[in-house]
Every structure is written in structure tokens, then in C-alpha cells.
Amino acid sequence: PSTPSSKDQAEMDPADMEDVEDVEEEETGEDENSKARQLTVQMMQNPQILAALQERLDGLNGSPSGYMESLPKVVKRRVNALKNLQVKCAHIEAKFYEEVHELERKYAALYQPLFDKRSEIVTAAYEPTDEECEWKTDEEEELTDEMKEKAKLEEEKKDEEKENPKGIPEFWLTVFKNVDLLSDMLQEHDEPVLKHLEDIKVKFSDPGQPMSFTLEFHFEPNEFFTNTVLSKTYKMRSEPDESDPFSFDGPEIMSCVGCTIDWTKGKNVTLKTIKKKQKHKGRGTVRTVTKTVPNDSFFNFFTPPEVPENGELDEDSEAILAADFEIGHFIRERIVPRAVLYFTGEAIEDDDDDLLLSNQEGEEEADEENDPDYDPKVS
């Protein structure tokens, strides 16, 4: 997230702000009412919609609260007992997710040697053997031996012509650029910095500690900052909210803490210098003022808005944190475990297929709900 904080904006000289005229086109109430009337007329002329509405109205006994009010007192009393059972279920579910977190920690330790080996190959610390590099693609299976030999010779010739690269250059930068959620955060001036990113690791909180996870971004020595690791910790809650226990749906991120980046002088990509001409009202003289202001950058990810103790945020901060939580979760759940598939683009195709399938299922469900002849009891 790259929106400057309200603090930054308060420190900025009004003379440095661009003159921007916001023009918003609003529909008049009359236009909206006219559209609503047209839509109502069209709906009322459709016999299928009328029949479906009539069926719903015939079977409707007021709103859910109205239905509850119509129940005998003794039945309401039993419903309250069921709700108390539901709260107990939510607390058991919270324990379930705590054990899931413990399992994640356990298996993270089993995955880590493989992720370390991945990092060694990417950074050229280890050269994989011929056996480790063997991978049969669908295309290769269809090729004859003669064609395979010819393709191999051509590939070797290309390698000789090219400079021999070390490891897998720009591995993580390519991953970021391939994923829309991450590429939207990237600016052109971020790319030279991210070329030095060697690995991303996920660390889970220790047993008995409050639930959290930390993303660690490991960098090789570079000209931009002196840190070797940039970190971001996400604090989670896995227990029902006492004021609304039925909303519990597993662990949720409550807040996050970034880190201080020790930028080399003149290399901080989260700031930019602007020059503005100012005219003195009395004397009429013009002077040029140089000012440092916040700049859009991926590295603003490490300075998220702080959540006040009362938990109340303004709309902008809420939107930034919501996007931040989604990105942190996505890096942990998808990017780190399947990095090579995001590098090649294969995981993106899978994500697109999953999204398409999900959309189709949603449309089918909507069609069933809108079909007056649909009976959920008939499979």
C-alpha cells in the first residue's frame, strides 16, 4: 500500500500540492427514480417474476425476527438454548484452528529444507545435478529422439552465445511481476531494488505465544539499504468475539507491524523530491522550493498504518490495511509455497481456472435460486 499517511500529508506544504479539480458526475434523484420506475414496470410485465414473487409472498411469515416473535415462549426458550450451544461450538472451532496453526508450524519445519535448497539454486549457491534438472514436458513426450537431439544442440548453441548467468536471475522480481496483486504495488523505481531479493521466508509464532506469522524478505548486499532482512509480522486472533460470537469464521489478522528500512542516502525509493515555483504576493518575486514528499513504492508495505488502541481507523487506513492483510495472507499461503509455479506462470493459470470455476458455480446457484420450479429437495 502506498497511500501517504495523514501525518505525512499534515507535514506537506500546501504550496507543494498539485492543483487538482475533482469533478464528480452525480445522477439526479429524478433520474434514479425514473430508472427505478422503468425497472419495476419491466419486472411486473414478466409473468415468471410475478409468479416467483407471489410464491415467496405466500410462504413468507414476516421477516426472520417476525417469525421468531410469533413463536410460543417455550419454543423461544429452547432456541436460546441452541444459540448457547452454537457459542460453545464457536469456542471449540477456535481450538481446532489453534491446532491447525500448530500443524502449520510442524510442517513448515519439514518444508524449510526444500525451500532452503530452492534459495541456494536461485542464488547460485548450489548447482543442481543433471538428475535433479530432469523434467519431462508434454511437448517433449511427443518429440522423436532425432528431434530431441536437434533441439538439444540448438539450446546448447544458444547458451554458448549468451553470457552464462548465475542461478536464476530476477527470480522473485519475476514472481512479483507475474502476480496482479503484487505487480499493482510495484513501481518502476522498485525493480532495481527487488532484483536483489534472494528469498522470502514465513516464520510462525512459537508454541504458547499469541498466534502470528512473520514474512521475512532476504536481500543480498546492495546499494539501496543496509538491511539484509526486511520483515513484516501479522498478529492474528483465533477466538470468537464476545460481542458477536456467531461471526467467527477462523483466525483473522488483527494488525501488522513492519520494520525500519535503513536507506542509503539518496536511495530511498519511498520518497521523492519535487521542485515548485512560489510567487511572493507582495514583492512579486518568484523562488523555487525543493521539498521531499512521499512516493508510491512497494517498500511502503513495510510501514503500514498503526492501529490505535481503541481499534478505530479512518476509511483510508481501513482500506490500506484490508489490502495489506490480503497481500500478506496471499504471500504466506500461495507465493512462498509455490514460488516456482508463479515464476513460470503455471500457478496463475491454475488460479484463473479456480476463479472461473468459482464464478460458474456462483452463477449456477443464482440460476437455481431464481428458478421458480427449482426444488432444493430434488437432487
Side-chain angles (χ1 to χ4, degrees), residues 308-335:
E309 285 184 16
N310 62 10
E312 291 180 10
L313 290 163
D314 58 58
E315 283 186 21
D316 285 348
S317 297
E318 270 190 13
I320 291 170
L321 279 179
D324 192 309
F325 294 170
E326 184 184 357
I327 290 159
H329 185 73
F330 190 80
I331 291 173
R332 167 195 154 177
E333 290 285 322
R334 308 298 286 268
I335 299 295

mmCIF file of all heavy atoms in Angstrom, residues 308-335:
data_model
loop_
_atom_site.group_PDB
_atom_site.id
_atom_site.type_symbol
_atom_site.label_atom_id
_atom_site.label_comp_id
_atom_site.label_asym_id
_atom_site.label_seq_id
_atom_site.Cartn_x
_atom_site.Cartn_y
_atom_site.Cartn_z
ATOM 1 N N PRO A 308 -4.837 2.118 16.242
ATOM 2 C CA PRO A 308 -4.917 2.705 17.595
ATOM 3 C C PRO A 308 -5.410 1.674 18.609
ATOM 4 O O PRO A 308 -5.996 0.647 18.238
ATOM 5 C CB PRO A 308 -5.944 3.842 17.435
ATOM 6 C CG PRO A 308 -6.119 4.037 15.967
ATOM 7 C CD PRO A 308 -5.773 2.735 15.301
ATOM 8 N N GLU A 309 -5.177 1.969 19.883
ATOM 9 C CA GLU A 309 -5.591 1.043 20.944
ATOM 10 C C GLU A 309 -7.092 0.800 20.937
ATOM 11 O O GLU A 309 -7.559 -0.299 21.241
ATOM 12 C CB GLU A 309 -5.156 1.587 22.308
ATOM 13 C CG GLU A 309 -3.668 1.429 22.554
ATOM 14 C CD GLU A 309 -3.264 1.879 23.940
ATOM 15 O OE1 GLU A 309 -4.148 2.025 24.807
ATOM 16 O OE2 GLU A 309 -2.063 2.079 24.155
ATOM 17 N N ASN A 310 -7.860 1.838 20.571
ATOM 18 C CA ASN A 310 -9.321 1.652 20.533
ATOM 19 C C ASN A 310 -9.775 0.920 19.275
ATOM 20 O O ASN A 310 -10.951 0.591 19.111
ATOM 21 C CB ASN A 310 -10.046 3.000 20.644
ATOM 22 C CG ASN A 310 -9.721 3.937 19.474
ATOM 23 O OD1 ASN A 310 -9.109 3.538 18.492
ATOM 24 N ND2 ASN A 310 -10.146 5.186 19.605
ATOM 25 N N GLY A 311 -8.822 0.645 18.366
ATOM 26 C CA GLY A 311 -9.131 -0.130 17.154
ATOM 27 C C GLY A 311 -9.849 0.635 16.071
ATOM 28 O O GLY A 311 -10.182 0.086 15.027
ATOM 29 N N GLU A 312 -10.109 1.946 16.295
ATOM 30 C CA GLU A 312 -10.849 2.739 15.310
ATOM 31 C C GLU A 312 -9.902 3.365 14.290
ATOM 32 O O GLU A 312 -8.907 3.985 14.662
ATOM 33 C CB GLU A 312 -11.666 3.832 16.018
ATOM 34 C CG GLU A 312 -12.823 3.266 16.827
ATOM 35 C CD GLU A 312 -13.630 4.351 17.519
ATOM 36 O OE1 GLU A 312 -13.403 5.532 17.222
ATOM 37 O OE2 GLU A 312 -14.467 3.997 18.370
ATOM 38 N N LEU A 313 -10.227 3.190 13.001
ATOM 39 C CA LEU A 313 -9.399 3.719 11.923
ATOM 40 C C LEU A 313 -10.248 4.566 10.987
ATOM 41 O O LEU A 313 -11.456 4.354 10.885
ATOM 42 C CB LEU A 313 -8.794 2.567 11.113
ATOM 43 C CG LEU A 313 -7.708 1.716 11.776
ATOM 44 C CD1 LEU A 313 -7.544 0.424 11.016
ATOM 45 C CD2 LEU A 313 -6.388 2.453 11.830
ATOM 46 N N ASP A 314 -9.594 5.512 10.291
ATOM 47 C CA ASP A 314 -10.336 6.241 9.263
ATOM 48 C C ASP A 314 -10.495 5.345 8.038
ATOM 49 O O ASP A 314 -9.844 4.296 7.934
ATOM 50 C CB ASP A 314 -9.629 7.552 8.899
ATOM 51 C CG ASP A 314 -8.209 7.336 8.393
ATOM 52 O OD1 ASP A 314 -8.036 6.615 7.400
ATOM 53 O OD2 ASP A 314 -7.258 7.872 9.010
ATOM 54 N N GLU A 315 -11.347 5.742 7.116
ATOM 55 C CA GLU A 315 -11.675 4.892 5.956
ATOM 56 C C GLU A 315 -10.458 4.553 5.121
ATOM 57 O O GLU A 315 -10.281 3.406 4.688
ATOM 58 C CB GLU A 315 -12.734 5.580 5.082
ATOM 59 C CG GLU A 315 -14.135 5.490 5.654
ATOM 60 C CD GLU A 315 -15.183 6.055 4.705
ATOM 61 O OE1 GLU A 315 -14.911 6.140 3.502
ATOM 62 O OE2 GLU A 315 -16.268 6.415 5.184
ATOM 63 N N ASP A 316 -9.573 5.534 4.881
ATOM 64 C CA ASP A 316 -8.370 5.298 4.065
ATOM 65 C C ASP A 316 -7.477 4.254 4.709
ATOM 66 O O ASP A 316 -7.004 3.323 4.050
ATOM 67 C CB ASP A 316 -7.583 6.605 3.874
ATOM 68 C CG ASP A 316 -8.256 7.539 2.881
ATOM 69 O OD1 ASP A 316 -9.188 7.073 2.183
ATOM 70 O OD2 ASP A 316 -7.872 8.717 2.808
ATOM 71 N N SER A 317 -7.246 4.401 6.012
ATOM 72 C CA SER A 317 -6.377 3.449 6.726
ATOM 73 C C SER A 317 -6.991 2.058 6.730
ATOM 74 O O SER A 317 -6.286 1.058 6.591
ATOM 75 C CB SER A 317 -6.134 3.924 8.165
ATOM 76 O OG SER A 317 -5.443 5.149 8.163
ATOM 77 N N GLU A 318 -8.321 1.997 6.901
ATOM 78 C CA GLU A 318 -9.006 0.699 6.873
ATOM 79 C C GLU A 318 -8.827 0.006 5.534
ATOM 80 O O GLU A 318 -8.563 -1.195 5.473
ATOM 81 C CB GLU A 318 -10.505 0.891 7.160
ATOM 82 C CG GLU A 318 -10.840 0.811 8.629
ATOM 83 C CD GLU A 318 -12.350 0.758 8.875
ATOM 84 O OE1 GLU A 318 -13.103 0.535 7.913
ATOM 85 O OE2 GLU A 318 -12.749 0.936 10.038
ATOM 86 N N ALA A 319 -8.956 0.771 4.450
ATOM 87 C CA ALA A 319 -8.814 0.218 3.102
ATOM 88 C C ALA A 319 -7.384 -0.265 2.876
ATOM 89 O O ALA A 319 -7.152 -1.348 2.314
ATOM 90 C CB ALA A 319 -9.181 1.263 2.058
ATOM 91 N N ILE A 320 -6.399 0.519 3.341
ATOM 92 C CA ILE A 320 -4.989 0.139 3.186
ATOM 93 C C ILE A 320 -4.709 -1.152 3.940
ATOM 94 O O ILE A 320 -4.081 -2.073 3.419
ATOM 95 C CB ILE A 320 -4.064 1.271 3.691
ATOM 96 C CG1 ILE A 320 -4.145 2.477 2.754
ATOM 97 C CG2 ILE A 320 -2.617 0.796 3.784
ATOM 98 C CD1 ILE A 320 -3.469 3.725 3.297
ATOM 99 N N LEU A 321 -5.202 -1.233 5.192
ATOM 100 C CA LEU A 321 -4.940 -2.428 6.000
ATOM 101 C C LEU A 321 -5.654 -3.661 5.450
ATOM 102 O O LEU A 321 -5.101 -4.761 5.470
ATOM 103 C CB LEU A 321 -5.358 -2.191 7.454
ATOM 104 C CG LEU A 321 -4.349 -1.430 8.317
ATOM 105 C CD1 LEU A 321 -4.887 -1.244 9.721
ATOM 106 C CD2 LEU A 321 -3.006 -2.154 8.381
ATOM 107 N N ALA A 322 -6.867 -3.476 4.935
ATOM 108 C CA ALA A 322 -7.600 -4.614 4.352
ATOM 109 C C ALA A 322 -6.815 -5.188 3.174
ATOM 110 O O ALA A 322 -6.660 -6.411 3.048
ATOM 111 C CB ALA A 322 -8.989 -4.171 3.898
ATOM 112 N N ALA A 323 -6.291 -4.299 2.315
ATOM 113 C CA ALA A 323 -5.485 -4.750 1.176
ATOM 114 C C ALA A 323 -4.186 -5.381 1.668
ATOM 115 O O ALA A 323 -3.743 -6.414 1.160
ATOM 116 C CB ALA A 323 -5.176 -3.574 0.251
ATOM 117 N N ASP A 324 -3.599 -4.778 2.690
ATOM 118 C CA ASP A 324 -2.345 -5.278 3.260
ATOM 119 C C ASP A 324 -2.512 -6.694 3.797
ATOM 120 O O ASP A 324 -1.682 -7.581 3.551
ATOM 121 C CB ASP A 324 -1.912 -4.334 4.383
ATOM 122 C CG ASP A 324 -0.494 -4.591 4.857
ATOM 123 O OD1 ASP A 324 -0.191 -5.758 5.149
ATOM 124 O OD2 ASP A 324 0.291 -3.642 4.935
ATOM 125 N N PHE A 325 -3.609 -6.916 4.553
ATOM 126 C CA PHE A 325 -3.859 -8.243 5.123
ATOM 127 C C PHE A 325 -4.029 -9.285 4.012
ATOM 128 O O PHE A 325 -3.541 -10.414 4.117
ATOM 129 C CB PHE A 325 -5.113 -8.229 6.005
ATOM 130 C CG PHE A 325 -4.984 -7.375 7.242
ATOM 131 C CD1 PHE A 325 -6.091 -7.094 8.031
ATOM 132 C CD2 PHE A 325 -3.762 -6.851 7.622
ATOM 133 C CE1 PHE A 325 -5.979 -6.311 9.171
ATOM 134 C CE2 PHE A 325 -3.632 -6.061 8.764
ATOM 135 C CZ PHE A 325 -4.747 -5.781 9.534
ATOM 136 N N GLU A 326 -4.723 -8.888 2.942
ATOM 137 C CA GLU A 326 -4.933 -9.813 1.821
ATOM 138 C C GLU A 326 -3.598 -10.178 1.171
ATOM 139 O O GLU A 326 -3.349 -11.343 0.867
ATOM 140 C CB GLU A 326 -5.858 -9.158 0.784
ATOM 141 C CG GLU A 326 -6.210 -10.087 -0.376
ATOM 142 C CD GLU A 326 -7.050 -9.415 -1.451
ATOM 143 O OE1 GLU A 326 -7.412 -8.236 -1.288
ATOM 144 O OE2 GLU A 326 -7.343 -10.080 -2.454
ATOM 145 N N ILE A 327 -2.740 -9.193 0.997
ATOM 146 C CA ILE A 327 -1.432 -9.427 0.370
ATOM 147 C C ILE A 327 -0.561 -10.321 1.256
ATOM 148 O O ILE A 327 0.049 -11.273 0.783
ATOM 149 C CB ILE A 327 -0.727 -8.079 0.091
ATOM 150 C CG1 ILE A 327 -1.460 -7.337 -1.034
ATOM 151 C CG2 ILE A 327 0.735 -8.277 -0.291
ATOM 152 C CD1 ILE A 327 -1.194 -5.848 -1.062
ATOM 153 N N GLY A 328 -0.532 -10.005 2.561
ATOM 154 C CA GLY A 328 0.265 -10.808 3.499
ATOM 155 C C GLY A 328 -0.183 -12.260 3.507
ATOM 156 O O GLY A 328 0.643 -13.183 3.474
ATOM 157 N N HIS A 329 -1.495 -12.460 3.544
ATOM 158 C CA HIS A 329 -2.055 -13.819 3.545
ATOM 159 C C HIS A 329 -1.708 -14.542 2.240
ATOM 160 O O HIS A 329 -1.344 -15.719 2.255
ATOM 161 C CB HIS A 329 -3.570 -13.734 3.721
ATOM 162 C CG HIS A 329 -4.239 -15.061 3.844
ATOM 163 N ND1 HIS A 329 -4.146 -15.842 4.966
ATOM 164 C CD2 HIS A 329 -4.992 -15.777 2.953
ATOM 165 C CE1 HIS A 329 -4.824 -16.964 4.784
ATOM 166 N NE2 HIS A 329 -5.338 -16.945 3.571
ATOM 167 N N PHE A 330 -1.801 -13.822 1.117
ATOM 168 C CA PHE A 330 -1.530 -14.428 -0.191
ATOM 169 C C PHE A 330 -0.059 -14.832 -0.312
ATOM 170 O O PHE A 330 0.251 -15.917 -0.813
ATOM 171 C CB PHE A 330 -1.897 -13.443 -1.308
ATOM 172 C CG PHE A 330 -1.892 -14.054 -2.682
ATOM 173 C CD1 PHE A 330 -2.967 -14.800 -3.133
ATOM 174 C CD2 PHE A 330 -0.799 -13.888 -3.527
ATOM 175 C CE1 PHE A 330 -2.963 -15.375 -4.399
ATOM 176 C CE2 PHE A 330 -0.782 -14.452 -4.796
ATOM 177 C CZ PHE A 330 -1.872 -15.193 -5.233
ATOM 178 N N ILE A 331 0.845 -13.979 0.156
ATOM 179 C CA ILE A 331 2.282 -14.307 0.108
ATOM 180 C C ILE A 331 2.554 -15.560 0.941
ATOM 181 O O ILE A 331 3.285 -16.459 0.523
ATOM 182 C CB ILE A 331 3.132 -13.113 0.594
ATOM 183 C CG1 ILE A 331 3.050 -11.967 -0.418
ATOM 184 C CG2 ILE A 331 4.590 -13.524 0.785
ATOM 185 C CD1 ILE A 331 3.711 -10.678 0.041
ATOM 186 N N ARG A 332 1.942 -15.597 2.131
ATOM 187 C CA ARG A 332 2.159 -16.752 3.026
ATOM 188 C C ARG A 332 1.566 -18.042 2.456
ATOM 189 O O ARG A 332 2.229 -19.086 2.449
ATOM 190 C CB ARG A 332 1.526 -16.435 4.379
ATOM 191 C CG ARG A 332 1.403 -17.647 5.285
ATOM 192 C CD ARG A 332 0.459 -17.368 6.441
ATOM 193 N NE ARG A 332 -0.131 -18.602 6.923
ATOM 194 C CZ ARG A 332 -0.947 -18.684 7.967
ATOM 195 N NH1 ARG A 332 -1.251 -17.607 8.644
ATOM 196 N NH2 ARG A 332 -1.465 -19.830 8.321
ATOM 197 N N GLU A 333 0.320 -17.966 1.985
ATOM 198 C CA GLU A 333 -0.411 -19.174 1.581
ATOM 199 C C GLU A 333 -0.051 -19.673 0.182
ATOM 200 O O GLU A 333 -0.085 -20.873 -0.074
ATOM 201 C CB GLU A 333 -1.923 -18.898 1.627
ATOM 202 C CG GLU A 333 -2.485 -18.738 3.015
ATOM 203 C CD GLU A 333 -2.615 -20.068 3.745
ATOM 204 O OE1 GLU A 333 -2.979 -21.069 3.098
ATOM 205 O OE2 GLU A 333 -2.344 -20.099 4.951
ATOM 206 N N ARG A 334 0.262 -18.743 -0.736
ATOM 207 C CA ARG A 334 0.420 -19.123 -2.143
ATOM 208 C C ARG A 334 1.827 -18.893 -2.693
ATOM 209 O O ARG A 334 2.411 -19.778 -3.294
ATOM 210 C CB ARG A 334 -0.590 -18.355 -3.019
ATOM 211 C CG ARG A 334 -2.029 -18.449 -2.543
ATOM 212 C CD ARG A 334 -2.576 -19.877 -2.551
ATOM 213 N NE ARG A 334 -2.865 -20.345 -3.895
ATOM 214 C CZ ARG A 334 -4.041 -20.234 -4.508
ATOM 215 N NH1 ARG A 334 -5.029 -19.626 -3.901
ATOM 216 N NH2 ARG A 334 -4.220 -20.722 -5.723
ATOM 217 N N ILE A 335 2.337 -17.667 -2.492
ATOM 218 C CA ILE A 335 3.600 -17.303 -3.142
ATOM 219 C C ILE A 335 4.781 -18.119 -2.615
ATOM 220 O O ILE A 335 5.528 -18.728 -3.389
ATOM 221 C CB ILE A 335 3.888 -15.789 -2.982
ATOM 222 C CG1 ILE A 335 2.785 -14.970 -3.647
ATOM 223 C CG2 ILE A 335 5.253 -15.434 -3.565
ATOM 224 C CD1 ILE A 335 2.684 -15.120 -5.150
#
